[in-house]
Amino acid sequence: MKQFIKYFRVSTRRQGDSGLGLAAQERDIDLYLSTYAETPWEVIGEFTDVQSGNDSDRPELQKAMALAEKTGAVLLVAKLDRLSRKVSFISTLMDRKKLNMTVASFPTADKFMLHIYAALAEQEREFISLRTKQALAPLKGTGKLGGNRGNIDRANAAARKVADDHAAKVIDTIAPLKEAGLTLQQIADTLNKSGVLTSRGGQWHPTTVSNILKRA
């Protein structure tokens, strides 16, 4: 019988207490188990960390990996960034020969492919950060962006430029999905599962998809 160990991560205690974030991860994991997992299967453990994805010292993840290596079970996570947002940390997991793991949103990906996905996601985050800094650079003459009407207007213009540039980048992905009849929520789910980030480096929601379509 195929055995799995579920691992969840949320960034804040509020998310952990309220279930925000956890519910979406549980949904994706359950979808994988019901659609892709070999039958019969069983879940032999669940672990949850309430920590940033940039924090590599996560006790519950260490427990989950240790149990997976001991039993031969598969460590199952909803998305790659639930393990880490650092490609260097993902690389260390790939080197653990006894660790078998699966990412629900990439159900057929092997370790090598997951490593590539992690590297691409990290590059995109770095690019978004750099682009935002360059857009705001002209506003730093006084050491802060606020203070008077002119600075506020320039800050708003810079933010709009970042949003417009990002909309132009992702509209070729979003438009065909909309034309195919997908709802805004379905489009948002597709983008999130594919590792595509919003202009602010966050997750997609129906409203953010709608905003992109309006800008386009």
Side-chain angles (χ1 to χ4, degrees), residues 61-76:
L61 177 58
Q62 295 300 323
K63 294 177 185 177
M65 292 191 297
L67 181 59
E69 291 175 331
K70 178 180 178 180
T71 61
V74 176
L75 180 65
L76 180 58

Side-chain angles (χ1 to χ4, degrees), residues 19-208:
L20 294 174
L22 286 177
Q25 293 176 59
E26 185 76 57
R27 177 200 62 203
D28 288 351
I29 285 177
D30 288 345
L31 179 62
Y32 170 85
L33 291 173
S34 63
T35 306
Y36 296 98
E38 299 177 13
T39 55
W41 54 263
E42 65 174 340
V43 175
I44 64 171
E46 293 188 16
F47 299 85
T48 302
D49 277 312
V50 183
Q51 290 179 253
S52 166
N54 293 320
D55 188 352
S56 299
D57 184 19
R58 279 177 270 142
E60 294 304 303
L61 177 58
Q62 295 300 323
K63 294 177 185 177
M65 292 191 297
L67 181 59
E69 291 175 331
K70 178 180 178 180
T71 61
V74 176
L75 180 65
L76 180 58
V77 298
K79 295 177 60 180
L80 191 57
D81 65 7
R82 296 304 88 191
L83 288 173
S84 179
R85 294 187 182 277
K86 294 181 178 179
V87 67
S88 58
F89 185 80
I90 297 295
S91 296
T92 63
L93 301 187
M94 305 303 166
D95 290 336
R96 299 178 69 144
K97 304 301 182 183
K98 293 183 178 180
L99 179 63
N100 297 312
M101 61 183 185
T102 293
V103 177
S105 58
F106 297 118
T108 61
D110 57 21
K111 281 188 174 183
F112 176 76
M113 294 171 66
L114 292 176
H115 193 180
I116 296 299
Y117 293 148
L120 291 173
E122 184 172 88
Q123 286 184 11
E124 184 178 29
R125 287 192 296 271
E126 290 175 353
F127 179 79
I128 290 173
S129 176
L130 177 62
R131 183 179 59 195
T132 302
K133 289 178 181 178
Q134 289 181 343
L136 297 178
L139 310 178
K140 294 185 177 180
T142 61
K144 52 185 178 180
L145 299 179
N148 58 53
R149 184 69 250 176
N151 280 342
I152 293 174
D153 289 343
R154 287 193 293 272
N156 289 337
R160 285 195 297 271
K161 184 179 186 305
V162 170
D164 288 340
D165 288 346
H166 187 260
K169 177 182 176 182
V170 299
I171 189 60
D172 288 342
T173 300
I174 293 176
L177 298 176
K178 181 63 175 176
E179 292 172 0
L182 272 66
T183 66
L184 296 178
Q185 182 64 65
Q186 290 172 328
I187 295 174
D189 291 342
T190 299
L191 293 171
N192 289 331
K193 290 179 180 179
S194 299
V196 178
L197 301 176
T198 66
S199 61
R200 296 183 178 181
Q203 296 292 294
W204 291 87
H205 302 282
T207 53
T208 46

